[in-house]
Amino acid sequence: MAPPLMRNDCPNLDVVDRLLRNWPGRAWRDVHVGVAVSGGGDSMALLAALLEAKGRVGGAGRVLALHVNHQLRADADADQQWLREQCAQRGIECAVRAVEAPLAARSEEGARLQRYRCLQEMAGQAGARYIAVAHTLEDQAETVLFRLLRGSGLRGMAGMRRTRALDAGVTLVRPLLDVRREELRAYLASQGQTWREDPTNAQPAATRNRLRGQLIPLVRELVNPDADRAIVRAAELAAEAQTLVEAQAADVLASCQSRIADRDIVLEAEQLAELSPLLASEVLRLAWRSAGWPEQRMTRRAWRQLTALAQSAEAASLGLPGGVTARRAADVLSLERPASGV
């Protein structure tokens, strides 16, 4: 298991040193690593830093670039061609996937999900064990603030995790979460590496762009010049707390589960009723995940309703997204999903 993300308490370390401190070479040196590269400054810096790190640690694995072309901008094809040329100059493989613009244009979240699906498929085809993405300290701060303003709980406040399994064979890694964007630009300058600017990143129509371009700069000006790092420190504490809650939830689930299968979940509700709503909700999430049920359609409201049912003393039933039915009867909570899946 990869170690937790280290805090940026050694600012004199260069970008490559910090990448290797956050993601030691022994974890990936002998497997293939795909780098999600848009052509922008952050992803080009990650590609360059990972190639330099690869030169230090050696190993049998390869580093390759993965590019998803959403075809949303007039110069998207030019960006793709430019990236191909950059990779050719470095002698590395560049896998490209072009997708239909309407699917990505529906929403920021739609584009993100589509991009990760494509990256996962490309990584699988290339035999890559990891997909490295270039999320920075500022990206983490924006994510935490965005989730806070939307009313997220402890899990959301913990921000983006450094590693996340996409499937049994591919893991997403964020090795630059303690590095600032300006540090990456300085690193690129030291390497003589150019990048492509995406003008849509400055357009105020997107919520994340408004946070990046308007709200956070105002917070830096009026409240704390280092607001980004303060937000990230809070996220680190939330992540530690979330880890403790998850560990407790695993212990509870082990003692209260009667059955967890592909089509149904049966739990002893009496134990759930004695827990705090936070811990009870985490037990339910873990049971759901243990059954292999996808969580995308389960909103925060749906989880609250399911938790309330689990902790209720009255017999009742609840319809959940994806056709899942939850029933509380006597001291048993059961969940069933249709044969077609959630």
Side-chain angles (χ1 to χ4, degrees), residues 13 102 188 193 227 309 311 326:
L13 292 178
L188 286 174
Q193 175 65 59
L309 176 68
Q311 298 194 298

Side-chain angles (χ1 to χ4, degrees), residues 278-335:
L278 173 65
L279 183 54
S281 178
E282 195 61 44
V283 172
L284 294 169
R285 286 177 183 267
L286 182 56
W288 191 288
R289 200 172 300 127
S290 298
W293 297 4
E295 300 178 55
Q296 289 87 344
R297 299 184 187 180
M298 284 293 288
T299 62
R300 186 165 179 260
R301 181 171 180 269
W303 285 117
R304 285 201 305 267
Q305 291 176 327
L306 179 57
T307 303
L309 176 68
Q311 298 194 298
S312 173
E314 300 179 359
S317 62
L318 172 67
L320 294 168
V324 173
T325 300
R327 294 184 177 87
R328 170 70 192 265
D331 291 329
V332 172
L333 175 72
S334 62
L335 293 86

